Amino acid sequence: MDFLISIIMSDLENRVGGKNFIYGIVDEDLRCGKNGGKVVTRFPPEPNGYLHIGHAKSICLNFGIAEDYSGSCNLRFDDTNPTTEEQKYIDAIEEAVKWLGFDWQGRLFYASDYFARFFEFALFLIKAGKAYVCDLTADQIRTHRGTLTEPGKDSPHRNRTVEENLDLFLRMRAGEFPDGAKVLRAKIDMGAANLNMRDPVIYRIRHAMHPKTGNQWAIYPMYDYAHCVSDALENITHSLCTLEFEDHRPLYDWFLNQLPMLPHPQQIEFARLNLTYTVMSKRKLLELVESKLVNGWDDPRLPTLVGVRRRGFTPEALRIFCQRIGITKQESLIDMGYLEECLREDLNFRAPRVMAVLKPLKVIITNFDGDAIDYLPAPNHPQNVAMGSREIAFTREIYVERDDFMEQPSPGFFRLKPGGEVRLRYGYIVKCNDVVKDAQGNVIELHCTYDPRTRGGNSVDGRKIKGTIHWVSAQTVARAEVRLYDRLFEVPNPMQQRSKDFKEFFNPTSLVVLRDCFVEASLKQAKAEDKFQFERLGYFCVDYDSRENGLIFNRTVTLKDSWIKVRC
RNA sequence: UGGGGCGUCGCCAAGUGGUAAGGCACUGGAUUUUGAUUCCAGGAUACCUAGGUUCGAAUCCUAGCGCCCCAGCCA
């Protein structure tokens, strides 16, 4: 079965997507014999938060290329800023990459593994006259940097001697100066049109506890310096990052040009992922969590990997999606519907079918014996007999969906209505004879008769029954809480109106909790993350908080519904 | 007004001078005990705009226009 799944999945993955402009570059490098014919990539998250779907795009790209070229992909934590990074994020990131189905094959590294080497190379830069210690404050550095249209001014410390720089830098390392007192800067060009080249800071003083190196260091390297050197030390051949780093590439190349003992990986940039009806930046997600609009980082409404996992997404769906959206340099805003479609495609393939009634309406089968139970066979998947079948109980009292009954049916409505017939899925054809109401006129119960000749739902006399509805036996059901999740925001692009706080577009009905749902008895043993299709409703999965006597399901995504279009 | 990018169907995206792939969405139709799935069919005289080169341009040249990113001792 797994084998079959993998064949079908690989077929799905091949159906669309695949090559992109980066493959073109790699192919050309290989053709020229660059990098000794090797391809090594890396996924380099900073452990300062949880991964989201945007990271999944990068993970699929980096591990995907490595796989396609029989190369390797390293997982590297870019942990150069001790004030924002934590071990819990490291653990969560490792878990997320594994869950997505990728294997770094033991190639797990930390930028902090190279702190001593970074330091040695910094000494080399100082001795080469390419770096200097600067005493300017952060504010002064900013004003000296100039503006987008005006060149910067040289720091007064720019021409310190190598000896003085060496002495000062060693003392920075020794912890002799307080945070912010001094920095090490690259000596490049304060008049450069690219701001990143105006003597960027490469080391700052931080008397802080680092999750990996503790208090061993008082100075920490900046991203621009640490990243390219880390890539070189790991023999990365292609360093893939997002578009906003394009302006940093000259600096990436500058450092490596000053360090001729190191290989020189190629940085290639691609567009980050944006999705409608959500936000995709750590800062925004943090705001949602801290404002309590959502319940933590794994809230099923969030695009975090822990969130979508809890929501019921499969790693396969995410991979199909990443494959299909492609990799380009064009900034895009991808329709959430596209992601949902990839999800449905995978879930349709793997989720067993089951019946559940979310908003119950009691139905009495008046001509069915009150003590009898008729066990009816029901396939677990209509297109895949290999998934087997189960028996569902048919009894005198059952529940159907309130929405499947209309006292005054609108045109085209072919479910239950007074005097009408409908098929109970895998059950019998029933006819609605009486509508029972309470004092306020609310429909509280339906009285129907069943046609015993139609067991299994087959019409024996050739009469056409257009409607088939789901149902559960009132005698044997399990009660459940069902959490209906919908889009996080009410507008496709909550970031579009810059004047407004994006949180104003939060969708107040993004979570609706239904506490009196009934699910068929076979679901009593379902475990967290188990996925099902509730027939005619959507895909649901068992929440982590679910217990055998207190089942909780999350709605992952609804089924496509063309009736809703007719109705509106 | 500096520098770096990007502009091909509603949303993605192929295309690298030879006469516009594909996916999603949409619209028809078929099958269906999920108004699901599956299947079949449909669509850019047109590639930001305007000129130009060429037998021929989305692809080359020129000039515009639009959008994104950059002034952290964040990554």
Side-chain angles (χ1 to χ4, degrees), chain A residues 138-201:
Chain A
D139 275 351
Q140 289 169 322
I141 287 182
R142 187 177 339 109
T143 52
H144 275 69
R145 185 153 34 225
T147 68
L148 293 178
T149 51
E150 297 157 325
K153 294 192 301 266
D154 285 1
S155 160
H157 314 109
R158 197 170 201 263
N159 294 314
R160 289 217 249 234
T161 63
V162 168
E163 291 66 34
E164 193 182 356
N165 281 323
L166 244 19
D167 171 62
L168 256 15
F169 187 53
L170 256 12
R171 287 162 61 194
M172 278 169 66
R173 189 209 163 150
E176 226 177 275
F177 309 111
D179 287 7
K182 291 180 177 0
V183 291
L184 183 70
R185 292 229 248 169
K187 191 192 257 189
I188 308 179
D189 177 8
M190 289 307 290
N194 181 342
L195 277 345
N196 293 121
M197 301 300 274
R198 320 241 261 229
D199 288 12
V201 171

Side-chain angles (χ1 to χ4, degrees), chain A residues 325-359:
Chain A
I325 57 174
I327 298 288
T328 68
K329 292 178 79 105
Q330 293 181 47
E331 298 163 62
S332 62
L333 178 59
I334 291 169
D335 196 324
M336 181 62 88
Y338 199 26
L339 209 209
E340 291 171 346
E341 202 38 44
C342 294
L343 224 203
R344 287 192 191 98
E345 182 173 313
D346 186 53
L347 257 12
N348 175 49
F349 172 72
R350 71 178 69 239
R353 271 56 170 173
V354 102
M355 289 202 281
V357 174
L358 268 32
K359 294 171 189 161

Side-chain angles (χ1 to χ4, degrees), chain A residues 41-102:
Chain A
T41 57
R42 100 271 91 115
F43 172 62
E46 180 189 14
N48 69 344
Y50 292 90
L51 260 30
H52 51 63
I53 300 180
H55 293 107
K57 178 180 179 183
S58 176
I59 293 168
C60 291
L61 207 218
N62 279 293
F63 280 93
I65 285 201
E67 199 177 305
D68 289 343
Y69 287 97
S70 304
S72 47
C73 180
N74 301 350
L75 173 59
R76 180 173 73 229
F77 289 101
D78 226 333
D79 55 348
T80 55
N81 185 354
T83 58
T84 58
E85 296 151 6
E86 292 179 42
Q87 184 61 41
K88 68 173 182 186
Y89 296 128
I90 294 177
D91 298 338
I93 290 168
E94 284 186 45
E95 176 64 23
V97 174
K98 278 191 270 189
W99 176 69
L100 268 180
F102 294 103

Side-chain angles (χ1 to χ4, degrees), chain A residues 221-394:
Chain A
M222 297 286 289
Y223 164 85
D224 285 305
Y225 173 62
H227 203 89
C228 56
V229 175
S230 301
D231 282 346
L233 290 172
E234 291 178 13
N235 288 304
I236 300 300
T237 56
H238 303 271
S239 179
L240 316 179
C241 62
T242 44
L243 251 28
E244 66 271 25
F245 291 103
E246 270 177 323
D247 289 339
H248 295 245
R249 193 186 338 123
L251 185 51
Y252 184 103
D253 290 333
W254 185 88
F255 280 121
L256 294 178
N257 287 150
Q258 311 312 312
L259 301 168
M261 65 294 265
L262 256 20
H264 195 141
Q266 180 182 6
Q267 174 179 304
I268 303 168
E269 310 84 12
F270 62 94
R272 52 190 319 149
L273 171 66
N274 296 297
L275 274 176
T276 56
Y277 299 101
T278 191
V279 288
M280 202 78 85
S281 83
K282 279 181 191 169
R283 210 202 95 230
K284 301 284 181 329
L285 295 173
L286 178 68
E287 251 184 275
L288 289 169
V289 172
E290 286 186 337
S291 65
K292 300 273 205 270
L293 244 23
V294 297
N295 308 309
W297 287 98
D298 68 345
D299 188 296
R301 287 168 290 186
L302 257 22
T304 52
L305 263 14
V306 282
V308 298
R309 179 175 180 176
R310 187 168 188 176
R311 172 83 167 246
F313 277 56
T314 58
E316 291 82 0
L318 254 16
R319 292 173 67 156
I320 294 168
F321 173 70
C322 289
Q323 184 85 227
R324 288 192 189 162
I325 57 174
I327 298 288
T328 68
K329 292 178 79 105
Q330 293 181 47
E331 298 163 62
S332 62
L333 178 59
I334 291 169
D335 196 324
M336 181 62 88
Y338 199 26
L339 209 209
E340 291 171 346
E341 202 38 44
C342 294
L343 224 203
R344 287 192 191 98
E345 182 173 313
D346 186 53
L347 257 12
N348 175 49
F349 172 72
R350 71 178 69 239
R353 271 56 170 173
V354 102
M355 289 202 281
V357 174
L358 268 32
K359 294 171 189 161
L361 174 60
K362 183 173 275 189
V363 173
I364 312 283
I365 311 295
T366 53
N367 60 340
F368 192 84
D369 180 359
D371 299 321
I373 297 184
D374 187 3
Y375 288 102
L376 299 152
N380 293 329
H381 194 297
Q383 281 89 35
N384 185 357
V385 288
M387 286 176 85
S389 65
R390 67 200 186 284
E391 293 196 318
I392 49 178
F394 182 76

Side-chain angles (χ1 to χ4, degrees), chain A residues 375-414:
Chain A
Y375 288 102
L376 299 152
N380 293 329
H381 194 297
Q383 281 89 35
N384 185 357
V385 288
M387 286 176 85
S389 65
R390 67 200 186 284
E391 293 196 318
I392 49 178
F394 182 76
T395 53
R396 180 179 167 87
E397 292 191 10
I398 63 170
Y399 293 109
V400 301
E401 207 69 59
R402 281 205 100 89
D403 291 347
D404 285 338
F405 172 76
M406 280 184 99
E407 198 174 9
Q408 266 126 23
S410 53
F413 181 84
F414 48 79

Side-chain angles (χ1 to χ4, degrees), chain A residues 473 476-480 517-521 523-524 551:
Chain A
S473 151
T476 64
V477 279
R479 194 171 266 273
C517 309
F518 295 113
V519 300
E520 62 172 71
L523 251 26
K524 282 177 188 166
L551 292 170

